[in-house]
Amino acid sequence: MTSDAPLVLGIETSCDETGVGLVVGTTLLADAVASSVDEHARFGGVVPEVASRAHLEAMTPTVQRALSEANVSLSDVDAIAVTGGPGLMGALLVGVAAAKAYALALEVPLYGVNHLAAHVAVDRLEHGPLPEPAIALLVSGGHSSLLMVNDITHDVTPLGMTIDDAAGEAFDKVARLLGLPFPGGPHIDRLAGEGRSDAIAFPRGLTSAHDQERHPYDFSFSGLKTSVARWVETREREGEPIPVADVAASFQEAVVDVLVRKAVAACQDRGVDHLLLGGGVAANSRLRAELVQRCNVNGIRLRVPRPGLCTDNGAMVAALGAALVESGHPPSEMSFSAESGLMVGQVVIP
Ligand code: KG4
Ligand code: ZN
């Protein structure tokens, strides 16, 4: 290896992806992911027990795959980072137990890290050290948050988050009622390209003047989902065909409109000129295009990792681990516990 920086192994098991990444500094050496998403598809959502079992089976082979992809061996690893939360408890436990076993056997420091901070840190691998301060818009199946990132290793504060469904969850639920497979986000994205985004005026949650005052940076997607369901039901009752592409495009526009509006407002209000986008929904083509355009107009510099790094993976955990090692942050106690409700402001579990 050419660099003197430590080799960090990252392990992610908070939901349905078993991710193992290897990172040196801001360089990605390997990103191995095994997903159990197909096993959940027929249930229309992630089944925690099925996910935990799949992590157990995938853990060792995925670590082996990452090591051989990076052409290193376990004994080369200098530090380990693992998602400590938030996420599904049983799923988190598999990753944390594996990480502890590796750290003990290799006698290297272990960092139990925050999944959301890792989603932000991953852009180090694509575009180098993070600009700080920055605002981060994190949108995935489990979370939708606007974060103020002063320092990714210890100073991340939530500005707002969803008060009900996450953005990706809304995509998945609307896809389901349109008869599309799980996870629905990519299907809606594709279909929306064939429809008219102004065909149906769906509501923009928490954007009225009153809500703007109380919830300037919070999101709500549950009313939107219900509104789409009512619209579809009414058409069905009247025996009319459902213009699926128009519904998909109009729904997607409502989500994107709110996300972009609030993210840009957060940058302007806080005088921050860097916006980071992360999470599975960051793969959405309309969201990416609209953010590029609105950031350009408003003089905000946008950083978006490639879609493969936006969805859950181990590289993002290793990226945050590498930043922590670099900053001299103390590792977690070996006895630390996974926390399914870990608060966003807590980057590392002590
Ligand atoms: O970050 P992620 O892989 O897992 C969580 O931490 O939840 O995000 C998965 C979510 C799913 O809800 C999926 O439908 C959504 O990201 N997603 C998309 C797209 N690709 C994935 N949503 C909208 N458009 C997409 N292209
Ligand atoms: Zn995630």
Side-chain angles (χ1 to χ4, degrees), residues 31-250:
D31 179 19
V33 178
S35 178
S36 61
V37 68
D38 293 343
E39 295 176 53
H40 308 287
R42 70 193 168 101
F43 301 105
V46 175
V47 183
E49 286 77 7
V50 173
S52 308
R53 170 58 59 120
H55 286 309
L56 210 51
E57 286 167 3
M59 180 55 63
T60 314
T62 311
V63 169
Q64 290 307 330
R65 196 147 55 82
L67 290 169
S68 71
E69 207 178 289
N71 202 17
V72 297
S73 60
L74 260 185
S75 57
D76 295 324
V77 170
D78 298 302
I80 297 179
V82 60
T83 299
L88 303 170
M89 196 54 185
L92 288 168
L93 281 173
V94 178
V96 169
K100 285 183 179 178
Y102 284 121
L104 275 171
L106 299 171
E107 297 182 41
V108 296
L110 173 64
Y111 298 80
V113 304
N114 192 303
H115 179 83
L116 304 181
H119 266 305
V120 178
V122 74
D123 196 52
R124 285 168 52 91
L125 306 177
E126 188 96 308
H127 301 109
L130 300 186
E132 287 162 342
I135 301 281
L137 173 63
L138 262 195
V139 276
S140 72
H143 13 259
S144 299
S145 310
L146 268 172
L147 310 175
M148 177 80 200
V149 183
N150 286 313
D151 184 324
I152 192 60
T153 63
H154 68 271
D155 190 355
V156 178
T157 44
L159 298 176
M161 62 191 67
T162 180
I163 60 168
D164 41 57
D165 293 349
E169 196 179 347
F171 269 95
D172 296 338
K173 287 177 175 172
V174 165
R176 191 176 188 183
L177 68 92
L178 293 177
L180 303 169
F182 173 83
H187 298 283
I188 297 223
D189 193 349
R190 182 179 40 79
L191 268 172
E194 299 159 19
R196 280 180 38 223
S197 60
D198 61 352
I200 310 150
F202 287 127
R204 272 61 171 160
L206 299 183
T207 56
S208 69
H210 177 67
D211 285 333
Q212 272 299 110
E213 237 168 70
R214 291 172 52 225
H215 297 282
Y217 310 123
D218 288 327
F219 303 105
S220 167
F221 297 110
S222 156
L224 169 60
K225 169 202 65 193
T226 308
S227 174
V228 176
R230 293 286 165 274
W231 195 91
V232 169
E233 277 163 24
T234 306
R235 294 281 293 211
E236 277 170 348
R237 214 173 24 246
E238 289 166 357
E240 304 257 355
I242 309 296
V244 177
D246 283 350
V247 175
S250 301

Side-chain angles (χ1 to χ4, degrees), residues 258-310:
V258 178
L259 291 175
V260 172
R261 249 199 263 181
K262 295 206 173 202
V264 168
C267 290
Q268 290 172 329
D269 298 350
R270 303 285 160 143
V272 172
D273 55 8
H274 290 277
L275 178 65
L276 304 166
L277 177 64
V281 181
N284 185 267
S285 59
R286 179 76 189 120
L287 176 61
R288 293 168 87 98
E290 186 66 5
L291 267 180
V292 167
Q293 207 260 334
R294 296 280 292 279
C295 284
N296 259 338
V297 169
N298 290 288
I300 299 166
R301 274 172 280 177
L302 176 68
R303 289 191 19 172
V304 188
R306 61 179 180 270
L309 290 178
C310 287

Side-chain angles (χ1 to χ4, degrees), residues 19-30:
V20 178
L22 283 159
V23 164
V24 170
T26 57
T27 305
L28 176 63
L29 300 187

